[in-house]
Amino acid sequence: EQKERELEVDVRETLKALDLPLTSKGAEEALIRIGRWTSPGGGERTRAWSKEVLDAASAYIDADAKRRILLSLACSSSSENTIENRMDLTSLPSICIDAKNTNFRDDAI
């Protein structure tokens, strides 16, 4: 867990390093600069997603569908809401999207 915390980068730190405002527009501009977002309205910054990105998105959709099935089974299979009747989903991939300084990490995709 310590190594994971060392790898975390606060969004604010990243935007400051890129000399961008600490706003949603700044975050959008950062994503455009690194090629992970296309500029609204087109222009020279707009480019088609690479095959690798499209393949990764497709794989994510498949993995998410499986995750939803597992979650549905976990929720419907137990008649009681007890720890003993829960399904362990800790092996499923997820990415924490909480801020670096948060005390309670509860947001993930």
Side-chain angles (χ1 to χ4, degrees):
E1 186 175 308
Q2 179 61 28
K3 284 187 178 184
E4 289 176 9
R5 288 188 182 265
E6 290 173 6
L7 292 175
E8 292 177 359
V9 176
D10 191 329
V11 171
R12 292 170 293 221
E13 293 174 23
T14 303
L15 292 176
K16 286 179 184 177
L18 292 170
D19 197 30
L20 292 170
L22 302 178
T23 63
S24 60
K25 289 291 185 191
E28 181 180 316
E29 178 62 25
L31 291 170
I32 290 170
R33 285 185 189 180
I34 65 171
R36 299 293 183 210
W37 195 274
T38 52
S39 176
E44 68 276 354
R45 288 187 170 176
T46 303
R47 57 181 165 238
W49 295 106
S50 69
K51 180 176 179 347
E52 292 81 15
V53 169
L54 293 174
D55 289 345
S58 179
Y60 173 78
I61 290 169
D62 292 343
D64 188 55
K66 290 176 187 173
R67 179 190 63 84
R68 289 174 185 269
I69 290 169
L70 288 173
L71 287 172
S72 175
L73 290 172
C75 292
S76 65
S77 66
S78 64
S79 58
E80 297 179 35
N81 192 13
T82 63
I83 291 177
E84 295 81 27
N85 292 330
R86 293 183 186 174
M87 183 181 285
D88 181 5
L89 303 176
T90 57
S91 65
L92 297 177
S94 63
I95 298 172
C96 179
I97 57 172
D98 287 305
K100 180 179 179 181
N101 300 351
T102 192
N103 292 326
F104 186 67
R105 297 179 183 272
D106 62 338
D107 297 321
I109 54 173

